[in-house]
Amino acid sequence: MDKRFYLLFILLVTLLVILKFDEIKNTFSLVKEQNINLLFLALITQILTYFAVAFVYKNLLNIMGQHVNLFKLFKLSIIMTFLNNIIPSFGISGSSMLFHSLKNHHKVSEGKILIVIGASSIATAFAFLLVLLFGFFNLAIKKNLEPVSF
């Protein structure tokens, strides 16, 4: 990635830190009160989710005949997640950054990138649906389903 992107990224992070300094300070005080082992487990789990996202994209790209380094996709997955959390665009910002990076830095064609992003989105939606159905079945078996009234 070019230097302008990193400069813009650092500028945005700095701006967010300045604007949210009180919240960040409060967060650090809350972290000091927590169990350090659970925080370490949460950190490891988050890193594994970045690798899982990178692995999904690597496999989809391999199916399309494109070979991109897993570590590069790992870095892209971190940036994608950051953008998707910061910019409320329903995942468009992270996907557009992935599109830009794969097209310009890894020379993947636009059509293949769109298929990979679409397949990843469908797989993610399907995974959420499976978790939701599992939860409903679990509640139904335990008879904890109650009608919702507004």
Side-chain angles (χ1 to χ4, degrees):
M1 294 187 194
D2 62 354
K3 293 177 184 178
R4 290 179 292 164
F5 178 78
Y6 287 118
L7 182 62
L8 180 63
F9 181 74
I10 291 170
L11 182 66
L12 283 173
V13 170
T14 305
L15 182 65
L16 287 171
V17 167
I18 291 169
L19 292 175
K20 303 289 184 177
F21 184 74
D22 289 336
E23 291 179 33
I24 293 171
K25 193 166 73 172
N26 185 31
T27 301
F28 277 113
S29 68
L30 290 173
V31 166
K32 289 179 185 176
E33 300 171 7
Q34 302 307 312
N35 183 343
I36 194 72
N37 292 330
L38 290 178
L39 290 174
F40 182 70
L41 179 64
L43 179 66
I44 295 298
T45 304
Q46 186 63 47
I47 291 170
L48 288 175
T49 61
Y50 295 138
F51 269 114
V53 169
F55 190 71
V56 166
Y57 280 114
K58 179 163 181 54
N59 284 331
L60 290 171
L61 286 165
N62 284 343
I63 290 170
M64 300 302 292
Q66 302 292 318
H67 302 286
V68 179
N69 185 341
L70 182 65
F71 186 69
K72 289 181 182 182
L73 290 170
F74 172 75
K75 291 189 293 187
L76 286 174
S77 71
I78 293 172
I79 296 169
M80 283 176 51
T81 304
F82 175 79
L83 288 174
N84 287 336
N85 286 330
I86 297 301
I87 302 170
S89 63
F90 300 105
I92 301 290
S93 53
S95 295
S96 62
M97 187 278 312
L98 178 68
F99 186 95
H100 171 77
S101 179
L102 290 176
K103 180 178 183 265
N104 295 333
H105 302 289
H106 301 290
K107 306 301 181 215
V108 180
S109 70
E110 292 95 344
K112 289 181 179 181
I113 298 170
L114 288 175
I115 291 171
V116 166
I117 291 172
S120 172
S121 298
I122 291 169
T124 301
F126 185 70
F128 281 127
L129 180 63
L130 286 177
V131 170
L132 183 66
L133 289 174
F134 175 76
F136 282 147
F137 286 130
N138 190 22
L139 288 172
I141 289 170
K142 292 183 177 184
K143 299 187 190 312
N144 284 343
L145 287 176
E146 297 178 14
V148 177
S149 60
F150 294 97

